[in-house]
Amino acid sequence: MNPGEFVVYISLASFAIGFIGMVINPNMIKKIISLGVVETSVTLFYVGISALSGTVPPIITSIPFVEGQYADPVPQAVIITGIVIGFALLCLSLVFTIMLYNRYHTLDVRSLEEIFQRENEH
Amino acid sequence: MIPLMVLLPIFIGTIQLIFRKYRKFNIAISFIYLIFNLLMIVHYRGENFQYALSNWGNLGITIGYDQMTEMFLIASLVVFSAVIFNSLSKNYPGFFYSLISILYGALNSIFVSRDLFNVFVSVELASICVFILIVFQKKGAQIWASLKYLLISSFGFNVFLLGIGIVYTNTGTFSFEALNMADEFSALLIFGGLSVKSGLFFLSLWLPDAHSKAPTEVSAILSGVIVKIQVYLAIRFLQYDSFQWLENIYVILGWISAIVGVVFAINAKNVKRILAYHTLSQVGFMFAVPNIYGAEYAFNHAIFKSLLFIVVGNIYERTGILNYKEMKGKITKIDYIPLMIGSLAIMGFPLTDGYVAKHELFIHCSTPGFVILSIASVGTVISFSKFIFLGYSKGEKGKFIPGRNIAYYLLISVIFYIGLRFFTLSDIQVTIFIIATGIVIYFLVKNKIKPLDNRLEKLDNALLIYISFIAFLVTYLKFFII
């Protein structure tokens, strides 16, 4: 199997694992870490698709240019922005969680939902 | 010059962030980009072009301008101007204005760019601004609403990112034109990623909480423009070949959302929740006719929905009441008139822009679609009769607030300008029949209103519904299309 393809399948599997983590963990911090797993696996997916054409770094070493199994630099270049955005989102969600914890002293999603349900009714 | 429409607001937003202590200076420089964008929209009126920035070939960011772009740019300009005028009298810090500026730049970037990855970055930039704007007053419920929105929507946008990765492997470029050659599975992931923010019922169930808990101005922006990003992108992507198979799914999702959203809205008592459920329902109308007419409806919806949210928010801030029954007798005349005009527009009353937009929708949809949208319209009338029959009380004296009044006049004049300019008499009997039926049913069910269970809006349930929708799409693609 092409190494790129292998990485793509691994990344899709970890995407699914991250999603399952987001659903089954009632703890807010664990949910956010699972979201981090999802984001990292998307980054890995982009690394995988850039390796589909080869794994040699796309740097020309000798002047008569030799056709080789070069990796595609574009997906790697664009996903850097994706990493930054994922970082910002994770930070923001952790800040919100800290604010909630300071007020309600719980990280459990079910008890948080209950608290706000009661607030809604009043 | 088009990139300046994006860069100037973001640049000014950065300056505002540095000088955030000087509130009046911040408000003053906000008008620079509003006026500049107005001039640009007038300058490029009716033009249709597309070009790539710099010399990167098909890897460069493509920028385009056409009728649909123009409509959404005008909608966001009008809504943002109204929001800034309305916020003048309130003591919001400079930080608020800086986030609004950056958000405005990001929105313009989404509407003018024709590049998938650029769209992703701009949408996420806009979303981060929105997450912070929702928690602006630091109430617990706001933080929870925003956190829920953040978790669901950033998961959804990772799905979108997978989709555009597949488009790149298929075609070697991120430009929108690549969607003509990409395979159906990438279209599925892209649409699935967008749908989580689109405001369709069952897919974006974070919406009623976020829209109803946010501060007045932010609610108006959320319902007026942020929801329209996804409507705009979904309608634009449908023009490309790989999305063709999704058209029926769009329409059916639109029908479901139009009906279910209105049922929840009729049964709600909290005024802001009523408006939020109506956003779900009205987005259904737009998806039911996913072409330029749906986009026109989105434009008109942006205007009257932001007017309604601003008025209701102002009443709430003055009286502290959210239950519509308790509002009776506490509404001043200056608040009641825009509330009534907004409600009439969303019902589709003749002479308002809602009539024009709904008329166009009804002409251009199929027969079952016409029946379903008519039923949803009757529901809209039932639900907005709650506002219409509140009446104003003469004893209640409000303060004279110039900024707020300018915001009202601005939005009302757009409603009447479009309503009068494109008014036609054909099919007026259908509209009158719908409105009359709705009002009669309202008086029959008026005392039986009881809020429905919002169990579906819980975080885990919303995530599970979303992933089962994607699983359904995969099954449909596997067995019926390929």
Side-chain angles (χ1 to χ4, degrees):
Chain A
M1 195 193 270
N2 185 326
E5 237 172 89
F6 182 70
V7 173
V8 166
Y9 288 127
I10 294 277
S11 72
L12 291 180
S14 55
F15 189 91
I17 291 170
F19 174 74
I20 295 168
M22 269 178 90
V23 176
I24 62 172
N25 278 321
N27 185 311
M28 210 61 225
I29 300 280
K30 284 186 186 167
K31 267 191 197 302
I32 292 167
I33 291 173
S34 309
L35 179 65
V37 171
V38 170
E39 275 163 4
T40 316
S41 64
V42 172
T43 313
L44 190 62
F45 175 78
Y46 271 71
V47 175
I49 62 175
S50 71
L52 285 177
S53 57
T55 46
V56 182
I59 300 165
I60 301 171
T61 43
S62 55
I63 274 305
F65 173 68
V66 191
E67 194 81 13
Q69 298 272 308
Y70 289 119
D72 188 350
V74 177
Q76 300 181 19
V78 294
I79 201 58
I80 291 175
T81 328
I83 295 172
V84 174
I85 289 169
F87 163 74
L89 286 171
L90 282 187
C91 288
L92 201 58
S93 50
L94 285 171
V95 168
F96 289 166
T97 313
I98 293 169
M99 284 161 90
L100 283 177
Y101 183 75
N102 285 345
R103 274 173 215 205
Y104 303 100
H105 306 290
T106 175
L107 284 173
D108 190 89
V109 175
R110 285 162 297 188
S111 40
L112 280 171
E113 302 261 18
E114 259 170 41
I115 292 166
F116 293 113
Q117 186 73 28
R118 254 178 279 134
E119 264 186 26
N120 257 348
E121 280 157 16
H122 284 292
Chain B
M1 289 292 270
I2 292 277
L4 266 185
M5 290 173 81
V6 178
L7 296 178
L8 190 70
I10 293 182
F11 176 67
I12 289 179
T14 322
I15 293 177
Q16 285 168 325
L17 204 55
I18 298 166
F19 296 101
R20 60 181 175 280
K21 297 237 169 69
Y22 308 95
R23 184 171 169 270
K24 283 190 178 144
F25 169 73
N26 276 349
I27 295 170
I29 60 173
S30 294
F31 285 100
I32 296 176
Y33 65 78
L34 289 179
I35 292 167
F36 176 76
N37 276 31
L38 177 67
L39 292 177
M40 295 300 282
I41 290 169
V42 173
H43 177 72
Y44 285 111
R45 183 168 34 107
E47 284 191 38
N48 193 344
F49 58 86
Q50 184 165 346
Y51 65 92
L53 290 180
S54 64
N55 300 324
W56 291 86
N58 56 9
L59 289 177
I61 293 171
T62 322
I63 280 184
Y65 197 90
D66 58 14
Q67 197 194 350
M68 231 163 94
T69 306
E70 192 178 20
M71 261 186 317
F72 282 89
L73 285 177
I74 297 173
S76 63
L77 179 69
V78 173
V79 173
F80 274 76
S81 315
V83 159
I84 290 179
F85 276 120
N86 190 55
S87 69
L88 291 183
S89 61
K90 301 175 186 173
N91 217 356
Y92 288 155
F95 186 55
F96 173 81
Y97 294 98
S98 115
L99 280 177
I100 292 271
S101 311
I102 297 172
L103 177 58
Y104 185 62
L107 281 171
N108 280 349
S109 161
I110 296 160
F111 297 141
V112 300
S113 66
R114 299 281 182 273
D115 181 275
L116 288 167
F117 203 84
N118 198 33
V119 162
F120 166 76
V121 174
S122 316
V123 172
E124 288 295 25
L125 177 57
S127 306
I128 290 173
C129 292
V130 166
F131 298 143
I132 304 174
L133 280 171
I134 293 175
V135 298
F136 188 68
Q137 291 162 330
K138 298 201 182 71
K139 289 180 191 155
Q142 289 177 344
I143 300 171
W144 177 241
S146 179
L147 186 56
K148 205 156 75 170
Y149 179 11
L150 198 161
L151 285 178
I152 300 175
S153 78
S154 47
F155 175 74
F157 255 62
N158 281 313
V159 177
F160 178 85
L161 207 47
L162 285 183
I164 65 178
I166 294 175
V167 172
Y168 182 82
T169 44
N170 285 343
T171 62
T173 165
F174 284 115
S175 128
F176 278 12
E177 253 88 58
L179 290 173
N180 278 328
M181 295 163 286
D183 59 15
E184 278 83 8
F185 188 63
S186 64
L188 185 159
L189 290 176
I190 290 177
F191 175 64
L194 284 178
S195 64
V196 74
K197 287 192 186 188
S198 62
L200 286 168
F201 207 91
F202 295 121
L203 298 177
S204 22
L205 284 172
W206 48 267
L207 189 146
D209 255 3
H211 285 211
S212 59
K213 296 287 173 357
T216 311
E217 279 76 14
V218 183
S219 295
I221 291 176
L222 277 171
S223 252
V225 204
I226 302 294
V227 165
K228 304 302 176 323
I229 299 172
Q230 273 60 242
V231 175
Y232 163 80
L233 288 175
I235 291 175
R236 181 171 290 290
F237 287 160
L238 198 60
Q239 298 167 354
Y240 299 103
D241 291 345
S242 60
F243 268 73
Q244 292 302 325
W245 66 279
L246 278 164
E247 188 168 358
N248 292 331
I249 294 184
Y250 274 44
V251 174
I252 291 168
L253 281 175
W255 292 346
I256 296 173
S257 183
I259 296 282
V260 184
V262 101
V263 169
F264 272 77
I266 292 171
N267 287 297
K269 279 185 174 170
N270 178 326
V271 277
K272 282 189 133 188
R273 280 190 96 79
I274 295 174
L275 293 179
Y277 283 127
H278 268 291
T279 304
L280 293 168
S281 159
Q282 301 282 315
V283 167
F285 278 70
M286 295 157 209
F287 271 81
V289 187
N291 48 35
I292 189 77
Y293 303 105
E296 267 171 25
Y297 195 80
F299 170 81
N300 293 312
H301 178 255
I303 308 292
F304 52 69
K305 196 38 118 14
S306 51
L307 176 65
L308 282 167
F309 258 117
I310 288 178
V311 178
V312 162
N314 285 343
I315 297 172
Y316 165 63
E317 279 172 22
R318 193 169 54 77
T319 60
I321 298 170
L322 275 175
N323 189 327
Y324 80 98
K325 280 187 177 160
E326 293 166 19
M327 267 189 181
K328 198 167 176 88
K330 298 210 168 129
I331 301 174
T332 55
K333 197 172 177 184
I334 186 72
D335 282 335
Y336 178 67
I337 291 168
L339 182 64
M340 194 182 70
I341 290 171
S343 307
L344 288 177
I346 201 171
M347 285 163 149
F349 194 78
L351 303 178
T352 60
D353 66 343
Y355 171 75
V356 175
K358 247 180 204 165
H359 179 68
E360 292 282 334
L361 277 193
F362 283 167
I363 294 175
H364 294 95
C365 65
S366 55
T367 320
F370 176 73
V371 174
I372 289 172
L373 292 189
S374 304
I375 295 171
S377 302
V378 172
T380 313
V381 177
I382 299 172
S383 167
F384 275 94
S385 301
K386 293 173 193 168
F387 290 148
I388 299 256
F389 292 108
L390 279 178
Y392 65 88
S393 63
K394 289 196 179 104
E396 200 72 20
K397 280 268 183 299
K399 271 187 291 179
F400 174 72
I401 306 170
R404 182 196 63 186
N405 292 0
I406 293 174
Y408 290 169
Y409 296 145
L410 179 66
L411 292 168
I412 290 174
S413 56
V414 176
I415 288 178
F416 279 125
Y417 174 72
I418 294 171
L420 293 172
R421 172 135 187 233
F422 301 101
F423 181 70
T424 49
L425 268 177
S426 63
D427 275 352
I428 197 166
Q429 61 274 39
V430 177
T431 312
I432 289 177
F433 175 72
I434 287 174
I435 292 178
T437 326
I439 291 177
V440 169
I441 298 177
Y442 166 70
F443 280 107
L444 293 177
V445 301
K446 178 163 91 158
N447 295 321
K448 293 177 188 152
I449 290 169
K450 198 167 157 239
L452 292 181
D453 196 351
N454 60 356
R455 191 175 302 158
L456 287 177
E457 288 162 31
K458 290 189 171 165
L459 180 58
D460 295 347
N461 296 347
L463 274 172
L464 280 175
I465 293 172
Y466 176 57
I467 204 74
S468 21
F469 168 69
I470 297 210
F472 162 75
L473 278 186
V474 174
T475 327
Y476 180 78
L477 176 68
K478 187 95 181 114
F479 289 105
F480 295 101
I481 306 296
I482 300 175

